[in-house]
Amino acid sequence: MAAVAVRDVLGFAPAVSDVSRPPDTGASVLIVLHERGRLRDAVALAVVPVALVGVFALPASLRSSLVFSYREPTLVTAYGANVVHFRLAHLLADVVGYVLLAGTGYVLAVLAERRHLFLASALTYLVAFPPILSALNLAVPRNAVTYGFSGVVAAFAGFVPLALATYAKHRLSAGAWVRQAPGVFLASLVVVVAVALPDSRVAMGATAFVVSATALYGVSTLRRGLITTLARSVRDRRGWGDCFLLGVVVVFGFPFAGFPQPRVGGSVVNLYVHLLGYCLAFLVPYVALQTDAFARMPEPRSS
């Protein structure tokens, strides 16, 4: 029984839905987004880049006091360090990344009627993740400091594979299964490992493990004919298929921007916290979705 439960959670249970009958997508993408999206959501999300710019405008001495030191960590710096930047290029990179990833996640979630899932996840990333990511940095003892919003940006990237899976199920293929989302996530980790550790034996071992895990999901998906059905829907459903392809580009393009060469100028990019943010941000809403945490929160419908 335990083995069956583990199999079901991971996504290897047999299919029960009709893969040949896609959902109704009579309305256009823009119409559905207009009906189900909320202006207040956009305003709330826009507060984040405004706050980052505001902190950047503070005196350098005050910003320095918010930097998280591994030798002298505090609760204030554990959160504050995540909104601190000292270079304009660093700030712009994080703001652009946040706008792109949060925007993509929101649009896919709204179109998949999972707006509440995105909002709850975004609140978690913005409130709980900064101190958690800072604390997890202490697992690697060193005499250094860390700052920047990129760990939280990576968290929003971690939501996109799940949003993409829910979108595919609701808008492109009725047989698509949200439990296949880990397959998309694991496939993206293959790219992460290849980009972050291109010439390492550790990278080779990690890649082999992730590829094997991804292959298991791929075999399950092929058996159920999802790839063929999904590809046909993407081809035939103008607008809806384009949104799906955009999500795919974001999922597999993020590793190239989120895991650059470790050294930039005189500083070192904290790839460790990027990976933590990315992985944890996928797991938290995925587990919530699989345990029906949002089952009693229907999406609002237009009158």
Side-chain angles (χ1 to χ4, degrees):
M1 294 297 293
V4 173
V6 170
R7 179 197 64 189
D8 289 347
V9 169
L10 290 178
F12 297 111
V16 294
S17 55
D18 180 9
V19 300
S20 64
R21 182 177 53 81
D24 178 22
T25 56
S28 71
V29 172
L30 292 179
I31 291 176
V32 174
L33 189 60
H34 175 72
E35 291 177 346
R36 301 190 180 278
R38 296 293 181 269
L39 178 61
R40 62 177 179 269
D41 297 342
V43 173
L45 291 171
V47 169
V48 175
V50 172
L52 293 176
V53 172
V55 173
F56 185 73
L58 294 174
S61 58
L62 182 54
R63 282 179 282 157
S64 297
S65 68
L66 296 175
V67 167
F68 185 77
S69 171
Y70 298 102
R71 291 292 180 88
E72 298 178 351
T74 67
L75 289 177
V76 173
T77 59
Y79 191 95
N82 291 270
V83 296
V84 168
H85 300 83
F86 292 97
R87 293 180 295 108
L88 181 59
H90 187 193
L91 172 66
L92 290 177
D94 282 350
V95 168
V96 171
Y98 166 79
V99 171
L100 173 63
L101 295 168
T104 301
Y106 179 78
V107 168
L108 290 175
V110 168
L111 294 176
E113 298 189 5
R114 287 293 181 178
R115 172 175 166 267
H116 287 132
L117 176 65
F118 172 84
L119 294 178
S121 299
L123 185 63
T124 302
Y125 302 155
L126 294 171
V127 175
F129 269 43
I132 290 174
L133 294 176
S134 295
L136 290 174
N137 267 301
L138 300 177
V140 184
R142 55 201 185 277
N143 183 19
V145 298
T146 187
Y147 57 87
F149 196 64
S150 54
V152 181
V153 172
F156 280 93
F159 180 83
V160 179
L162 180 59
L164 192 63
T166 59
Y167 174 83
K169 175 178 176 58
H170 191 74
R171 295 296 179 182
L172 294 176
S173 174
W177 200 10
V178 175
R179 289 182 181 178
Q180 295 294 332
V184 181
F185 174 72
L186 289 171
S188 70
L189 281 185
V190 174
V191 182
V192 168
V193 172
V195 171
L197 302 170
D199 300 314
S200 168
R201 292 183 179 180
V202 175
M204 295 176 62
T207 301
F209 171 77
V210 176
V211 168
S212 300
T214 305
L216 293 176
Y217 281 96
V219 170
S220 174
T221 301
L222 286 170
R223 284 179 177 178
R224 301 171 63 242
L226 287 183
I227 292 180
T228 302
T229 304
L230 188 58
R232 189 180 301 117
S233 295
V234 170
R235 179 196 65 192
D236 297 339
R237 296 176 180 274
R238 183 172 299 177
W240 299 99
D242 296 337
C243 284
F244 178 81
L245 292 177
L246 175 62
V248 171
V249 171
V250 171
V251 168
F252 292 101
F254 166 73
F256 295 94
F259 296 87
Q261 293 300 312
R263 291 191 175 276
V264 177
S267 60
V268 178
V269 179
N270 194 341
L271 299 183
Y272 170 69
V273 79
H274 290 195
L275 183 62
L276 285 175
Y278 187 62
C279 294
L280 290 176
F282 173 81
L283 290 173
V284 171
Y286 177 74
V287 171
L289 199 58
Q290 291 298 88
T291 54
D292 293 327
F294 295 87
R296 297 184 180 181
M297 297 179 64
E299 298 296 329
R301 294 181 179 274
S302 58
S303 58

